[in-house]
Structure formats: structure tokens, C-alpha cells
């Protein structure tokens, strides 16, 4: 092989994005360990899925606390998870074409699910349906 | 004792794909795996191809995958691997022939991080640049690197992501970033802050396990990450 | 040809971490979709919830919790390694600590979750 | 393929890279090496590089020069030794400025330690002169120089093996013929100057500290083309190689306080060298180890003695000798802090080689006539600063001092010289040698010949020699040479054909072995590393001179060449 050293390295791309992404993993992870686990424990352990129905959710979302809680959880978990998926795509998808497809799909899914998730939490109005009975 | 070597062979001039070939040779338990390979080459099959030179773990030529893990053939004794072993080339780079891989990309990654002292001040005339023993100690571990590529090719990120600079290049950068005489820290940290830089490391530790010089590779990478983080925060 | 690297604890822990992370993400997406259905009223929602009662989904749910527990605990291990210089030297022990902590937390959780099935009849 | 450069350097060890550093910005230079540069054997050097910095105790270059001359048993060229010891200081500082991470003294200077044969005030006591970076000084030198070459964008041709030297009919060297290992293609490098820096040939012996690539190619190939080899009979055996394996345990281990012990646990070197004891020069220590063994005081009556490091203060092994501690643990499974280490002398260093002047120019006769265009530096060269026995740490000094001088001189030379046209078909010899090996389909396996060569050289031409054993070796070599002409290799491919390369290297080993043996037969005295039991004394009347070996059609011819004496008169050598 003919080798010659030292040419100027290509300038750093993306500024500090990778750094903040990495840092966000840690911060959101720490937040999630409380929020996600608490969520799972409440929803799937203390209550089991047998007890969860429309009424249960409606009751829960009567309290603004739970709406804010779920909103935060949604954003932290999604951004954390999507960031992870982004890194994985970077590692496994190489062909330029496929990369574009994969990233586009990822960002689309991200936006779409954040929007519909947020919409569900914000716009949900149990009183819009007449069968309302609160309590479990 | 009799030793069985199952070696992944590939000769681009003959083979369309790699295949295993098994050889049985006589060896002492205290012989090196390299001795067994030499025995195969010198008495059984002269076409067996691998790199080697120093035969005692200091030149970095003969890193290969022995029983599924990266090691230097000259630093691993038969008694430590047993009487049957599978030998394959390092993963992640193109195989040129048998156990010889194409290291071009590896050296490019090395060069990318500017592996040389950067200090634009006039060196003092007639004496050395001073450095305390403590300052010297900080980067001692990473000066031991022999560029064998065992770490980089053991890293799962290398296998799938060809842009990743890899642990060996970061080890080389570490050696300069923490050298009190060096002034190129910013440049090097900038280069490693890239998408292909340190953040791609997922603390898999295969590199540290593979390093024949017992360099704490992951530790070095983590130190670089922290320096970058604290500098930017 | 099977081309597998014989990694040790670090590699296993990472492979599981990535797998569980992506798994939980997938579950999260499904979960967002089903919650979205709530805006279509109780009938639609409760009907959908029915699928959660099917045994396959119950198993998946337990698996989700397992994944989340492991991922979370190992996440703590990674964070420790990232910010505490000496932790790299103990990463192997930390992995086994994660494994132990995982079983200690997951087994009771699983029992509690499956109690309707276990004690149903 | 054809390449044109001002200067081609063959070999990317310490000497080649140091020369490249001088040339990088002033000329078009290419470095050709059969190994990737960082694999060169300079990286194996452990103990240190000598320079009278006086960082830890008083020291002067002239003391260094005296030790070098005396260590070499007075057939050192003293003009060269003076250059070596004066410029060592500057060269070491230059290495530090390039970034070499030396160990440090408490006040932040380069740390220094004791090494064999280095003394204060002309032999009074051991002095701390070896500058070191743990016990991987060579590794740090090699990497630092390679890194500088990267910085300066030197052009490298990695994994290109030299096959032949191009010399015009007018006797001007203007290129080399090489084989690109990865493809099997022949490349011709056409240049105004060629610098040979291909290192040593310890692989002529069975037990050696040398790398498998150290096969003396850069000595053998010019030798075939009529250039003489100087002082080949002097081959150094290092006292402390790991038993059977030959892996080196640096003299720095004794510099830090290690002791040699025989079967009785006795520190036998006290008897032979009362002042320096275990730190006497290598030729003496190796000889006395064999003497102990012969007189039945080897461990368990066998052919090794012990290196005792168990009494060193805790921490010394880990801080100053970590690598050799690792070698002992890896290859012997014992901890040198607790157990005695079995050692035996190991073939280590070629004092002889291509004769050069103090600017690295290769000379071809007793009058120092220069061959235009050809330079040599490092272990392949014989300046001669090492005479009959090299002192520890002086080889690394040799690399940087004379590598630098050769590079500087070549840089000047190419400015005023025109490129000579290549002779017709410059690569015909190289091609013929290869096709000759490829064409023979049946014949002996060259590996067998190499094994016999190494075993017999070890028995008959190592630490002790007699006229009789050497004659036997001469006969054996003729036989091996004949068998070599009928060998067959198994690999007939073009891509990365190491089978072919090993056969080519064996040919080089045969050449240098012949020169060693012929020189040793002729030199009827004992001096430095050359110990003739049938002529146990030094004979300054007859033999205070160098030998030049020429390969001719009628076999090897020897000539004498005078030694340059300046400051120091030959005296009896006592330590
Ligand atoms: C184990 C050990 C420890 C040592 N410790 C010390 C010490 O502490 N202090 C000290 O002063 N000295 C020491 N020495 C001696 C010293 O290291 C060597 O003499 C010195 O490194 C030789 O350097 P070099 O540049 O001449 O050659 P090398 O470093 O051997 O380099 C030779 C170069 O030539 C190339 N080459 C060879 N043949 C060909 C060919 N046919 N075609 C193309 N390229 C070719 C090789 O690829 C290589 O790049 C030690 C030696 C050994 C073996
Ligand atoms: C419970 C608390 C959680 C913690 C403590 C946590 C922690 C972490 C950490 C530290 C990383 C970075 C790994 C690395 O850089 O090597 C990470 C990656 C990841 N996380 Fe989480 N996480 C948690 C929850 C979640 C959830 C809920 C999801 C899914 C939505 C998720 C999906 C992912 C994914 C996909 C990755 C990328 C994996 C990789 O790149 O290998 N995590 N997590
Ligand atoms: S860090 Fe270790 S494994 Fe990696 S190249 Fe250097 S010596 Fe080899
Ligand atoms: S194996 Fe790879 S992911 Fe990081 S810790 Fe080592 S570089
Ligand atoms: S041959 Fe040099 S490291 Fe193994």
C-alpha cells in the first residue's frame, strides 16, 4: 500500500450534536428510570390490565397531574428511544439510499407519534361521551 | 502434545470463498500459538499466510481471532487455549489472504486524529521540555499501544459501521491529549467529537478484553468523552 | 458461515441493552397508537383493550417489563461507567450486579402481574 | 511499475525514519519497507538510549566515548565514536522535542539509569547514562519517529520487499528493485540516493532476541553486488535471553540492580569483573555465563543460569521494567518479583555490516572510497562505533545520530547531483531470482535448510568458536548453499506470498552467515564478541584492524582495513 500521512482532517460535522445526544441519553435515562418504571408499576403491576378500561383512563386523566406526567413521559421516552434508533440506523444501514429511507421513516414516525400521543393527552375529554362513569 | 488447528483459509487467486482447513501438529504446552502456526507453514502447508515478526508481543503484526477472541498469536500459549483451536482473521476489514487483512482503513483512522506532538513554541535550546512525573503518568497506559488492531476489530461497532474511528485511534489520541507538552488538544477533541468519533462507542469493552498490552482502552475512551463533555458544558 | 465474536460480559450487556431499548421503543409506539384510540370513545377503546387480555399479549407485557427493567438497570451501569473513572475497572462486577438486581426486582413484579392468571381458578 | 524520487530509504526502523525526518521538507523522499513501519524491530528495544546528559549525576560525552571505545575492544573508529557520543546529547533532546515520553526525574528532566559498560571518569564506577521510557524505549522511539513522518507527510511504501540494488556500470547506486507483497508486482525505484536501513540478522542463529524479519537482506543484497561487509565476525550475544526462547530481558534489569546467579546461588560476575560486576559489557558477561555452565555450575547442571530480580525494591519492576515483567509472566508463568528467572545468552546484535563513513556513505575499500549514491545507517551499517562489542544503549544512539547524518548528507547531495539513467533491464536479477523459485516444482522445503542453518550457527559460530568448529560450519554452509539452489516453494501465487519471501530471506541469511564464518576463521585472536578458544588472547600486533569481506566468484575474500585511533590508546580491557 502507498500511504502518506497527515492531510488535514475533515472538520467536525454536526457541531456538538453527538455530544448532546449522548448526554441526553443519560439525563433522559435517569428521568425515565423514575417515570417509566413508576408508570409501569402503577399501570401493570399495582393495577393489572384486567382493571384498565376507558373509565380507568378517564378517571386518571381527570387530574392535570397525570396529564402532565404522561406528556413528559411521552416526550422523554420517545426522544430517548428514537435517538437510540437513530444510532442503530447509523451503525447498520449503510447504503446511501437506504439510509435516507430509514432516517426519513424514523423522523416521520417520531413526529407522527409525538403528535397523536400529545393530541390524545391534551384533547381527551371524557365528558364528550355520554357513558361517563368515573371511578374504579 | 498434539494440537489441532482449524484455520480459516482464503486464497483470492483460487478460492471463491473462505473455508476451514484442519492441521494437526506436535507442540509443547508452553509453545506459542505462533509456533504452532509456523510448524504448519514450515512442515505442512507453505501456502498458509499470516503476518508476524517479533514473536513476543511487541510489534503488533499477528493479531488474529483464536477460538473466537482476538489475541496475538505470539502472546498466547498453547496451554492456555487447549489442544484444539479455531483460528480466523480479524473481523471488520477485508481479508487479503488467509489471516492477513487489509489495514488501510485502520491506518487512515490513526492518521485522522493527528498522532504526533503538536507544539508550536520554540523548543528550549540545549535541554528538554520539562514534565513532572505525575504529568507523565497520566498518559502512560496509552503509550504502550502497538497498533495491533485487536481492539478495533473486536468492537461490534467496527463490524457494521465503517466510519467509526475505532478504539485504537482514540487510544493514540489519548496519548497526546493528556501529554502536558501537547497543544493540539482542541483539534483532536474536535475531530473525535464527530459522528464517527468517541460518541459512537457504546462501552462494549471488547476492546479492553482484547488488548494484548493490557491497555485500559475503554477507560481511555471514557476519559476523552468526559474531557469533551466538561469542556463543552 | 457463523461469524460470531466470543465477547464477554460487556458485549452481552450491550447487545441486550440495544435489543431491549429497541423493543421497548416498539412497544411504546404501539402503546401511543392504542391510547390514541381513546378519542374515539369508550366502545372503541375498551374493545381494543381486549387484546391486552389475550395470553400472548400478557406474555408480551411481562416481557416488556423485563426489557424495561434490564434496560434501566444496565443504563445505570453505563452511566456509572461514564462518569466514575474507576467503574471501568469493575464493569464486569457491575454487570453481574445488574443481573442480580434484575432478578430481584423482576421476579416479584412478574408474579404480581400474572396474579390474575396464576390465581384465577 | 516505475517510481522516481530524490531519495529512497529502504527500511522504516529507527534509522530509516530518522533519515526520513531530515529529508522530508527538503527533498522528494520515499520510504520502502517490507514491514509496516511500526512493526520494525526498533520497537522491541527496551532498556534505553545512552547520552551524557548528566541529569542525575555528573557525566561527559568524552567518558561516553571512552566507554564506547573500550567496550568495543579498541577496534572502534574513534572519529566515529566521538561523533556518536557528542551528538547523542543533541539527538536525545531532539527526540524529546518530537514528543518522546521519557521517564522523568523528580525535577521533570529525562530520567537516566545504569547500563552495562557505561562508567564515570574512564572506568571508575557505573554511571547513569541510559535515557529511558520504562522498558519500551525502542517502542517509543519508533512510534515517535513514525508519527513525525506522518506529520511531515512522508511517502511510504509499506510491505514492499527489496530484491536488488541498482548499480550503474560506472559504479553509481541509483535505485532499488522491490516486490509489492500484497500484489506480487515488481516496482523499480529510481533515485539519486539510496539509504539502506534494514536492520540486523539475528535470525541466522537459533536462539535470538531478533524478530523473524531480521534476516539481513540489506547486508546480503549489496554484498552480492560486490560491496564489502565489515567486521562480520563480531556478533553480539546478549547475556539475558529467556531460556530457550531467546526473548530479551533488558540489561536495564541489571542496571536497576538485578544480579546473575549460578547453581550455587553465587553472584559469579564478582569474580570476573570486580568493579562493574553484573554490569560488565555483554561479551564478557555472556562468555562468563557459558563458562559457569561449562564448569558445571549451570542450574541443575543444565545450560542456563538465573537472573535474580527478587530483591529489587517494590515498585521498580512495575514502574521501570513492566514489559519484561510481563514477558516473564507470559512465557514462563512465573513472577520475577518472587522467582529467579532462567536465562541464557541470546543472539542479539550485528556489530558488522555495510562499511560507512561518518556521514553514512557506504565505502567499498580499505581507503574508504565512497560508492556514490549509496548510504547505510543503523544496525545494517558498520561505521564502526561498536567495534568488537557494542555497549547497551549505543545502538539506539547509532540509529538516531547516524540516521540523521545520513539523511542530512543525502539532502545536500541530491541538490548537486543529477539522476543517473537506469541501466538497461534493472530488474532482471530480481525477476530471475523469483522466477527461478517459482519454476522449480519439486525440491526440498527451504524451512528445513533454515532450521539447520540456525542450529549449526548456534553450535559452531556463537559465543565460543574454534578453528575446528568454524571449519565445520564452512563445510556445512557449502552444503546448505547447494541444497538451497534446489529448493521448491509450495506457494506459487502472486498475492501475499510469504512462502516466497521466506525463501528469499533464507538466501540472505546464508550470505551473511558465510561472511560471519569466513571473518571468524581468518581472525586468529579473541576480541570482544569474537572468542576463539584456540586463540584466547587479543593480538593488537596482527589484528588491530577491521576486516572487509568481499563476495567474489572464487568465494569470500578478506581484506584488512585500519582502525582510526585518535584519543585513546589500546589498553588491556578490565572492568
Ligand atoms: C530485543 C531487543 C532489545 C534491544 N534493546 C536495545 C536497547 O535497549 N538499546 C539499544 O541501544 N539497542 C537495543 N537493541 C538494538 C536495537 O534495537 C537495534 O539494533 C535497532 O533497533 C536496529 O534499528 P534499525 O533501524 O537499524 O533496523 P530495524 O528497526 O530492524 O528496521 C529494519 C527495517 O528494514 C526493513 N527491511 C528489512 N529488510 C527489508 C527488505 N528486504 N526490504 C524492505 N525493507 C526491509 C524492515 O521492514 C524494517 O522497517 C535491542 C535489540 C533487540 C532485538
Ligand atoms: C428506564 C430507564 C432508562 C434508562 C436508565 C435508559 C438508559 C439508557 C442509556 C444510558 C442509553 C445509552 C446507551 C449507550 O450510550 O450505550 C440508552 C440507550 C437506549 N435506550 Fe434507554 N433508558 C431507559 C429507558 C428507555 C426506554 C423507555 C426506551 C424506549 C422507548 C429506551 C430505548 C433506548 C434505545 C433504543 C437506546 C439505544 C441503544 C443503543 O444505542 O445501543 N430506553 N438507554
Ligand atoms: S490499544 Fe491494545 S489492542 Fe488496540 S491497537 Fe493498541 S495494543 Fe492493540
Ligand atoms: S469495544 Fe467498541 S464500543 Fe467502545 S468500549 Fe470498546 S470501543
Ligand atoms: S509477532 Fe510481533 S506481536 Fe506477535
Amino acid at each position: 500500500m502507498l500511504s502518506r500521512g497527515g492531510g488535514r482532517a475533515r472538520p467536525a460535522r454536526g457541531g456538538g450534536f453527538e455530544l448532546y445526544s449522548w448526554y441526553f441519553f443519560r439525563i433522559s435515562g435517569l428521568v425515565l428510570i423514575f417515570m417509566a418504571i413508576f408508570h409501569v408499576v402503577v399501570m401493570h403491576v399495582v393495577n393489572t390490565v384486567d382493571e384498565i378500561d376507558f373509565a380507568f383512563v378517564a378517571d386518571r386523566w381527570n387530574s392535570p397531574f397525570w396529564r402532565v406526567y404522561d406528556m413528559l413521559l411521552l416526550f422523554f421516552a420517545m426522544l430517548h428511544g428514537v435517538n437510540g434508533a437513530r444510532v442503530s440506523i447509523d451503525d447498520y444501514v449503510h447504503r446511501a439510499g437506504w439510509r435516507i429511507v430509514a432516517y426519513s421513516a424514523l423522523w416521520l414516525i417520531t413526529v407522527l407519534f409525538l403528535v397523536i400521543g400529545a393530541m390524545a393527552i391534551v384533547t381527551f375529554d371524557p365528558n364528550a361521551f355520554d357513558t361517563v362513569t368515573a371511578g374504579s | 502434545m498434539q494440537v489441532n488447528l482449524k484455520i480459516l483459509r482464503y486464497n483470492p487467486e483460487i478460492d471463491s470463498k473462505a473455508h476451514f482447513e484442519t492441521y494437526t501438529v506436535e507442540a509443547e504446552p508452553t509453545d506459542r500459538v505462533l509456533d504452532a502456526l509456523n510448524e504448519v507453514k514450515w512442515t505442512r502447508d507453505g501456502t498458509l499466510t499470516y503476518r508476524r515478526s517479533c514473536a513476543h508481543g511487541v510489534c503488533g503484526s499477528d493479531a488474529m481471532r483464536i477460538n473466537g477472541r482476538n489475541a496475538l498469536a505470539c502472546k498466547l500459549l498453547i496451554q492456555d487455549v487447549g489442544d484444539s483451536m479455531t483460528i480466523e482473521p480479524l473481523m471488520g476489514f477485508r481479508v487479503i489472504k488467509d489471516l492477513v487483512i487489509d489495514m488501510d482503513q485502520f491506518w487512515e483512522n490513526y492518521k485522522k486524529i493527528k498522532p504526533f506532538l503538536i507544539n508550536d513554541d520554540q523548543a528550549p535550546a540545549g535541554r528538554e521540555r520539562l514534565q513532572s512525573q505525575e504529568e507523565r503518568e497520566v498518559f502512560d497506559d496509552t503509550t504502550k499501544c502497538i497498533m495491533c488492531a485487536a481492539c478495533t476489530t473486536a468492537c461490534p461497532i467496527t463490524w457494521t459501521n465503517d466510519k467509526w474511528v475505532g478504539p485504537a485511534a482514540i487510544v493514540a489520541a489519548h496519548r497526546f491529549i493528556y501529554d502536558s507538552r501537547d497543544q493540539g488538544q482542541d483539534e483532536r477533541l474536535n475531530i473525535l467529537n464527530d459522528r464517527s468519533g468517541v460518541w459512537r462507542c457504546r462501552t462494549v469493552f471488547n476492546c479492553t478484553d482484547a488488548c494484548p498490552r493490557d491497555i485500559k482502552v475503554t477507560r481511555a475512551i471514557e476519559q476523552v468523552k468526559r474531557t469533551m463533555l466538561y469542556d463543552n458544558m | 458461515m457463523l461469524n460470531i465474536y466470543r465477547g464477554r460480559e460487556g458485549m452481552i450487556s450491550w447487545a441486550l441493552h440495544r435489543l431491549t431499548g429497541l423493543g421497548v421503543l416498539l412497544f411504546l409506539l404501539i402503546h401511543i397508537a392504542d391510547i390514541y384510540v381513546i378519542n374515539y370513545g369508550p366502545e372503541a377503546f375498551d374493545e381494543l383493550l381486549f387484546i391486552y387480555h389475550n395470553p400472548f399479549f400478557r406474555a408480551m407485557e411481562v416481557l416488556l417489563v423485563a426489557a424495561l427493567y434490564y434496560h434501566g438497570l444496565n443504563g445505570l451501569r453505563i452511566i456509572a461507567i461514564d462518569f466514575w473513572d474507576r467503574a471501568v475497572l469493575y464493569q464486569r462486577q457491575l454487570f453481574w450486579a445488574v443481573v442480580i438486581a434484575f432478578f430481584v426486582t423482576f421476579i416479584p413484579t412478574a408474579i404480581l402481574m400474572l396474579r390474575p392468571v396464576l390465581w384465577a381458578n | 511499475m516505475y517510481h522516481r524520487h530524490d531519495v529512497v530509504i529502504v527500511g522504516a526502523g529507527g534509522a530509516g525514519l530518522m533519515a526520513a525526518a531530515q529529508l522530508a521538507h527538503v527533498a522528494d523522499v520515499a520510504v520502502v519497507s517490507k514491514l509496516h513501519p511500526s512493526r520494525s524491530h526498533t520497537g522491541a528495544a527496551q532498556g534505553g538510549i545512552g547520552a551524557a546528559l548528566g541529569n542525575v549525576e555528573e557525566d561527559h560525552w568524552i567518558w561516553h566515548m571512552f566507554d564506547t571505545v573500550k567496550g568495543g575492544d579498541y577496534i572502534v573508529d574513534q572519529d566515529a565514536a566521538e561523533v556518536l557520543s557528542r551528538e547523542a546529547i543533541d539527538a536525545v533532546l531532539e527526540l524529546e522535542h518530537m514528543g518522546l515520553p521519557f521517564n522523568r526525574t523528580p525535577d521533570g528532566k529525562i530520567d537516566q539509569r545504569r547500563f552495562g559498560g557505561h562508567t564515570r571518569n574512564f572506568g571508575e564506577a557505573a554511571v547513569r547514562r541510559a535515557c529511558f521510557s520504562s522498558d519500551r524505549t525502542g517502542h517509543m522511539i519508533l512510534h515517535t519517529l513514525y508519527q513525525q513522518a506522518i506529520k511531515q507527510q512522508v511517502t511510504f511504501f509499506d510491505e514492499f520487499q527489496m530484491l536488488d540494488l541498482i548499480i550503474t556500470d560506472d559504479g553509481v547506486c541509483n535505485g532499488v528493485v522491490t516486490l509489492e507483497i500484497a500484489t506480487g508486482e515488481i516496482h523499480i525505484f529510481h533515485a539519486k540516493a539510496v539509504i539502506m536501513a534494514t536492520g540486523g540478522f539475528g535470525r541466522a542463529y537459533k536462539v535470538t532476541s531478533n524478530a523473524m524479519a531480521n534476516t539481513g537482506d540489506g547486508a546480503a543484497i549489496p554484498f552480492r553486488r560486490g560491496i564489502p561487509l565489515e567486521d562480520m565476525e563480531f556478533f553480539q550475544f546478549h547475556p539475558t535471553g529467556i531460556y530457550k526462547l531467546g526473548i530479551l530481558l533488558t540489561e536495564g534489569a541489571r542496571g536497576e540492580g538485578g544480579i546473575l546467579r549460578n547453581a550455587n546461588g553465587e553472584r559469579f560476575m564478582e569474580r570476573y569483573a570486580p568493579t562493574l560486576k553484573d554490569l560488565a559489557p555483554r561479551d564478557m558477561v555472556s562468555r562468563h555465563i557459558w563458562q559457569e555452565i561449562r564448569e558445571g555450575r549451570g542450574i541443575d547442571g543444565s545450560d542456563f543460569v538465573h537472573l535474580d530480580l527478587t530483591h529489587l525494591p517494590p515498585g521498580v519492576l512495575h514502574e521501570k521494567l513492566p514489559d519484561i515483567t510481563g514477558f516473564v509472566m507470559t512465557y514462563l508463568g512465573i513472577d520475577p518479583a518472587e522467582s529467579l528467572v532462567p536465562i541464557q545468552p541470546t543472539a542479539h546484535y550485528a556489530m558488522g555490516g555495510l562499511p560507512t563513513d561518518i556521514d553514512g556513505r557506504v565505502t567499498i575499500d580499505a581507503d574508504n572510497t565512497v560508492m556514490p549514491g549509496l548510504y547505510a545507517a543503523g544496525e545494517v551499517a558498520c561505521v564502526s562505533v561498536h567495534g568488537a562489542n557494542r555497549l547497551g544503549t549505543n545502538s539506539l544512539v547509532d540509529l538516531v545520530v547516524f540516521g540523521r547524518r545520513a539523511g542530512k548528507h543525502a539532502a545536500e547531495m541530491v541538490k548537486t547531483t543529477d539522476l543517473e539513467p537506469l541501466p538497461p533491464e534493472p530488474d532482471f536479477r530480481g525477476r530471475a531470482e523469483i522466477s527461478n523459485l517459482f519454476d522449480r516444482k519439486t525440491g526440498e522445503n527451504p524451512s528445513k535448510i533454515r532450521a539447520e542453518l540456525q542450529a549449526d550457527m548456534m553450535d559452531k559460530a556463537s559465543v565460543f568458536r574454534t578453528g575446528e568448529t568454524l571449519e565445520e560450519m564452512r563445510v556445512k554452509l557449502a552444503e546448505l548453499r547447494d541444497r538451497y539452489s534446489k529448493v521448491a516453494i509450495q506457494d506459487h501465487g502472486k498475492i501475499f506470498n510469504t512462502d516466497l519471501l521466506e525463501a528469499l530471506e533464507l538466501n540472505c541469511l546464508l550470505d551473511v552467515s558465510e561472511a560471519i564464518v569466513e571473518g571468524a576463521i581468518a581472525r586468529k585472536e579473541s576480541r570482544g564478541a569474537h572468542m576463539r578458544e584456540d586463540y584466547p588472547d587479543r593480538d593488537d600486533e596482527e589484528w588491530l584492524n577491521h576486516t572487509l569481506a568481499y563476495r567474489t566468484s572464487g568465494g569470500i575474500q578478506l581484506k584488512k582495513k585500519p582502525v582510526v585511533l585518535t584519543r585513546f590508546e589500546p589498553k588491556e580491557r578490565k572492568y
Side-chain angles (χ1 to χ4, degrees), chain A residues 25-43:
Chain A
F25 262 133
R26 273 84 196 144
I27 296 296
S28 57
L30 284 176
V31 172
L32 282 169
I33 204 138
F34 294 107
M35 293 192 74
I37 300 220
F38 188 61
H39 173 84
V40 167
V41 167
V42 170
M43 302 301 273

Side-chain angles (χ1 to χ4, degrees), chain B residues 114-117 172-179 182 188, chain D residues 147:
Chain B
K114 300 177 183 280
F116 39 78
L117 190 81
H174 181 281
R175 176 251 172 276
F176 288 102
I177 291 170
Y178 298 97
D179 188 331
D182 189 78
R188 274 187 278 266
Chain D
Q147 290 160 349

Side-chain angles (χ1 to χ4, degrees), chain B residues 32-86:
Chain B
R32 299 159 272 206
V33 171
L34 180 63
D35 295 319
L37 280 173
N38 286 338
E39 189 66 15
V40 172
K41 183 171 181 62
W42 294 341
T43 64
R44 298 297 150 79
D45 187 349
T47 65
L48 179 65
T49 305
Y50 45 93
R51 291 191 176 101
R52 83 287 178 274
S53 185
C54 72
H56 66 287
V58 295
C59 77
S61 300
D62 60 344
M64 52 187 76
R65 201 146 41 104
I66 301 168
N67 281 349
R69 276 192 194 131
N70 287 357
L72 294 177
C74 64
K75 225 186 159 177
L76 200 57
L77 303 190
I78 304 275
Q79 64 194 15
D80 298 325
V81 275
D83 55 6
S84 287
M85 63 190 92
T86 306

